[in-house]
Each structure stands twice: as C-alpha cells, then as structure tokens.
Amino acid sequence: VQMIIASLIVTMVQKLAVTTETNFGIIFFTYLIFVVATINFAAMLSTFFSRAQTAALVVPLIYFVVAVPAFAMPDGTAPAAFHALSIFCPTPLAVALRLQFGYEVNRGIGWQDFTNDQDIPYNYLAAVLWMVGDAIAYLILLLYFDAVLPKEWGTTRHPLFFLKSKRSGGIWGCCGKSQRSDL
C-alpha cells in the first residue's frame, strides 16, 4: 500500500509540474515498478549484513553508487553501456525519464510510443522490461541469499539446496537417488 501511495504522489507531482502531456498511467506504472525493484534490491543487499544498523548505513550508500552512473552518462553514450548498467534498477528509470522528457517537448509519451525503435539508448518497453526483470531477479537473489548466507541464529542451507528435493532426490524427480523405498 505504501508503494502505491508513494508512486501516486510522485506521479501527481510530475504530471502536474513537469510532464503535463505524458499519460498519467505510464508515469505511475513506471514509478510503481521502479519502487518494487528498488525495495527488492535493498532487501537483497541487506542479506549480506548480520546487523540491521550496518545494513541501514551501507545499503543506501551502495544504492547511491550504482545510481550515479545512470544519471551521469552523457547523451552520446553507447547503448551497450546502458544495457550493461541496466542490471541496476536506477539505470532503466534514468532511460525512462529521459524518454519521458524527450517526448514531452512534442506531445508527451503515450502507450503507442513504447516500442519506438528510434529511441536511444533503448525504447520505453525495454526500460520497463529491464525494471521488471530486475525486480524479479532481486527477489530470487534475496530469497536465495537469505537461505544460504550464515546468520547469527538459525541454520543455513546448502548453496545448491534448490537442486535437491527431500522426497525424490532432485528438483524434477530425475536427479539423485530416491529416498522412498518400495516395500
């Protein structure tokens, strides 16, 4: 709920003050996906720290470090550099905002502009897909690191725990020995 409210507030401010011609839904959708990806990114990074205070201090610094290149790259930067940095969620947002501001000069960005091949470094759809992919990848890594990395309390799982199933010996029932015995 807080993510939706924050995305709505930022969208309304941007729509009323900056990008008055751009579709409200596109702005909201972009920020909502970005917020989800950012939360997953921060949570994933926090699994590397055993103390909450340390994570609270270091994770924002790491986030700032990965966000700076995305917004600091000049206009002539090769698209490959943007794609390489798109594994960090601020980069696709930076590309999406550049495209929003670029389209705002004429008529604002609409749903029909999502796949425009003339957008540089990549089109709006690619920016959105990068953010969705980042959010999913960060969530998977968060769950994995949370299960595998040692903590002060509890037991950790083997790094390849997802390949073994207790019932069948493998994730699809085809790998390893079965622990069931037919009597």
Side-chain angles (χ1 to χ4, degrees), residues 94-110:
V95 171
L97 290 176
R98 283 182 182 196
L99 292 173
Q100 282 181 15
F101 298 147
Y103 276 94
E104 189 64 25
V105 173
N106 296 322
R107 68 185 190 299
I109 195 167

Side-chain angles (χ1 to χ4, degrees), residues 86-181:
S86 289
I87 61 169
F88 304 116
C89 55
T91 302
L93 178 70
V95 171
L97 290 176
R98 283 182 182 196
L99 292 173
Q100 282 181 15
F101 298 147
Y103 276 94
E104 189 64 25
V105 173
N106 296 322
R107 68 185 190 299
I109 195 167
W111 297 105
Q112 70 279 5
D113 300 315
F114 259 49
T115 57
N116 187 349
D117 290 336
Q118 298 179 0
D119 291 333
I120 296 174
Y122 48 77
N123 63 30
Y124 207 89
L125 179 63
V128 169
L129 290 176
W130 267 112
M131 284 190 278
V132 169
D134 287 346
I136 293 168
Y138 298 149
L139 179 62
I140 291 169
L141 289 172
L142 159 68
L143 296 173
Y144 176 77
F145 290 140
D146 191 48
V148 172
L149 293 176
K151 296 174 216 48
E152 191 173 340
W153 292 285
T155 56
T156 59
R157 300 181 85 173
H158 188 274
L160 300 176
F161 74 92
F162 54 90
L163 295 178
K164 271 190 138 180
S165 170
K166 287 185 179 177
R167 293 191 88 189
S168 64
I171 193 166
W172 295 284
C174 64
C175 307
K177 286 185 175 180
S178 175
Q179 294 181 3
R180 286 179 42 190
S181 61

Side-chain angles (χ1 to χ4, degrees), residues 11-22:
T11 301
M12 286 189 285
V13 168
Q14 182 178 334
K15 177 72 175 162
L16 293 172
V18 182
T19 54
T20 57
E21 300 295 321
T22 299

